[in-house]
Amino acid sequence: MNGDRPGGDATAALREALGDAVRPDFDAKFRFAAAGGAPECVVEPADIPGVVAAIDAARRAGLAVVPAGNGTHLRIGWRSRAPHLALSTRQMGRVLAHDAGDMTVRVECGATVAALDAALAAAGQWLPLDPPRAEAMTVGGLIAADRNGPLRLGYGGVRDWLIGVRAVMADGAVVRGGGQVVKNVAGYDLPRLFAGSFGTLGVLVEATFKVRPRAAALALGEWTAPTLAAALARAQAVMASDVQPVLLEAVNESAAEALGLDSGASVLIGVAGSPPHLDEQERRLAALSGGAAVRHAPERGDALLRALREFSQPADDDALVIRVGVLPTALPPVLAEIETAARRAGVVAEIAAHAGNGVAWCQLLGAPDEAALQGVAAAARAAALRGGGWAVYEAIPGELGERLDPWGFDAPALAVMRRVKAALDPDGLFSPGRFVGGI
């Protein structure tokens, strides 16, 4: 797609083709603005034929298509380089099949993660992914943005549980990838391809997941530390011990304050299972820490878990949020560099790291000016690269969004990604320019 405005009244043509599924009102456009760029209109089909019709109508109207559920990730990435419509699947939210015996579930991609969780809870099962904003995030958004949360250490990510997808492609074809049962996964691995594709390959309409029995309980312990570096060291000690955490979060003093902890830098340790198992894990943690680690009461632990889960969301409109990914052993030097750069620039850096996975979330707040904020962001990316990883700017405030590359990705894999995009979406219909390298 090019960046020319579509000829004629594109919205009127879409309404003629799609009826009430088209929403041209300001509120809908504002809600589904991608990286600050408002769509020409919003389309909310109720079924797969409606998605196919919307894609066909967009082509005829000269519009690109930005797939969306409830728009929870549209702030991430570059602005679409072509006039577009936002295609929301949020009217497609049914749980289509739940086989509790085979422990699989097939669901429409407009269902929210919270709604899916509620449906599975009736059978004592769950999809063990804990992304932020579960009440709003759709299953399609969960897959397209490859989201997870602090429980990734114990249960993995989207690719570990997704076994099948159904998607509408740029030519209107409805394709399936993967399978619908655990032992019948065949064909091209479209599910893994769509995970983290940010709406650039097609419109996800159905997904099939493995699920598992819901944990009887989850307890949260805390082991304070004088610095973030010390907290990361204690996290590594937990990993090397006979404690069996499903969550291991190292937070600096600023993040601890934001989370409601009054103890300064800490490592938070989550364990899951039956009450006797939790008691045994508490005993082992106490022995490892010399009695310094404490177990939070259930209500307090639940509140901290919710706060940890939501930490990746921008604290306010002026926050710049960075996702850093490196080997767990590289976290200490990389995060130390970010803290130093922020301190010198007069910027508050709240840092919470999935210490067992090597993923860290950094909230940069209170910058004296944009130049200071931009400098710290650049320092964070440089530190991540020196650490053998990467840094993505997931939220960029104000006009910095026009100047900062949100992805900063220029690896040999980019050439492969461009070929995949060209094969599946040769005309650049879906989210043109949003993803890494202008994909």
Side-chain angles (χ1 to χ4, degrees), residues 13 56 116 226 343:
D56 179 61
L116 175 59
R343 186 168 53 251

Side-chain angles (χ1 to χ4, degrees), residues 80-105:
S80 173
R81 65 171 173 246
H84 64 277
L85 64 78
L87 198 163
S88 169
T89 57
R90 63 179 182 162
Q91 302 300 326
M92 303 166 63
R94 297 175 299 164
V95 174
L96 299 171
H98 176 204
D99 188 335
D102 195 41
M103 290 197 291
T104 59
V105 64

Side-chain angles (χ1 to χ4, degrees), residues 241-253:
S241 73
D242 58 359
V243 179
Q244 299 168 352
V246 295
L247 174 158
L248 198 57
E249 292 284 300
V251 300
N252 69 355
E253 184 175 0

